[in-house]
Amino acid sequence: MAFKGLTVDENNVLGRRVEEAGSYNVRLLPTSELKTASTGKEMLVLDYEVLDGKYAGGTIRFDNVIYDDTTPEKEEQSIKRFNTLLVAAGIPAGTQINTLDILLKGLKKYNKLNVTVEWSSEPNNKGYYNLDVTSHNPTDPEGSKPNGIFAPARQQPRPSNFGAQQSAINQAAANLPNNFGADPFAGAGQVISDDNLPF
């Protein structure tokens, strides 16, 4: 089938960004998944698409909801956090959820809720600020409500200690014995074939 043409439409693009904090009616994206955090705890990594308003089609990614049962208090907080998410998505009261996998499947089925987002307090390793989900709520019948707070200006990427590592490597190389004789490049450009492999 051949290309039939299109009309340029700024509202019909991939990778649209949500540029303001606020509260947004969203649907759960299929990329949402159950993972294990670096701490070994189970967590949901939820990705959303905005359903309405000026950022319709924009994505809000990486809402990490962690199940922590290391103490009774932390487990109780985790249960409340997951219950809040389920109620916001409209999952009926009394529904029994036995695993986080079932919980995720239920969220994907019911799919719609409202999230409140704020800008992260620290930039990521590339210097950008991300939107962090601060609460889950039932869908707002009045629609999404950006609050006019835009991301802080991009920061310079965090410095790495590459320079210090390279300096240490150079110093270690300088301390190696010189086993090359007077000409360190003697033999450079030599052709090595299957017949004269050095091992």
Side-chain angles (χ1 to χ4, degrees):
M1 191 171 262
F3 179 69
K4 296 180 181 172
L6 62 81
T7 302
V8 176
D9 181 356
E10 65 184 14
N11 295 312
N12 188 25
V13 297
L14 296 172
R16 188 174 176 137
R17 291 183 44 110
V18 176
E19 298 179 7
E20 296 173 63
S23 68
Y24 294 94
N25 288 331
V26 296
R27 74 176 182 94
L28 201 68
L29 288 172
T31 54
S32 300
E33 60 185 333
L34 174 61
K35 292 181 102 176
T36 302
S38 59
T39 58
K41 297 177 178 73
E42 286 184 297
M43 71 174 179
L44 298 180
V45 180
L46 306 175
D47 297 331
Y48 307 104
E49 179 182 29
V50 177
L51 295 172
D52 54 28
K54 71 192 261 187
Y55 296 112
T59 56
I60 299 169
R61 302 193 61 204
F62 308 118
D63 178 16
N64 298 334
V65 187
I66 298 172
Y67 179 72
D68 185 348
D69 62 353
T70 54
T71 67
E73 295 79 18
K74 288 182 179 180
E75 184 175 26
E76 183 179 341
Q77 271 305 104
S78 292
I79 296 296
K80 285 182 181 178
R81 189 175 303 113
F82 282 110
N83 248 325
T84 300
L85 180 59
L86 294 166
V87 169
I91 297 191
T95 301
Q96 184 66 41
I97 309 278
N98 295 323
T99 67
L100 287 182
D101 188 50
I102 292 171
L103 188 148
L104 181 59
K105 287 176 183 172
L107 287 174
K108 286 181 176 181
K109 178 180 177 185
Y110 281 83
N111 205 10
K112 295 179 183 173
L113 64 149
N114 180 283
V115 294
T116 302
V117 292
E118 295 178 0
W119 294 106
S120 57
S121 58
E122 295 289 326
N124 64 21
N125 60 359
K126 294 183 180 175
Y128 294 102
Y129 290 83
N130 296 316
L131 285 170
D132 291 337
V133 175
T134 59
S135 68
H136 303 98
N137 313 292
T139 302
D140 186 340
E142 295 178 13
S144 296
K145 297 174 184 160
N147 66 12
I149 300 175
F150 292 84
R154 181 175 184 252
Q155 302 293 310
Q156 289 299 319
R158 293 182 192 148
S160 70
N161 62 353
F162 175 77
Q165 291 171 343
Q166 189 61 47
S167 178
I169 291 169
N170 291 343
Q171 182 62 39
N175 293 331
L176 291 174
N178 181 352
N179 294 329
F180 296 111
D183 183 3
F185 298 104
Q190 177 183 359
V191 176
I192 297 177
S193 69
D194 288 341
D195 297 331
N196 65 350
L197 290 173
F199 48 84

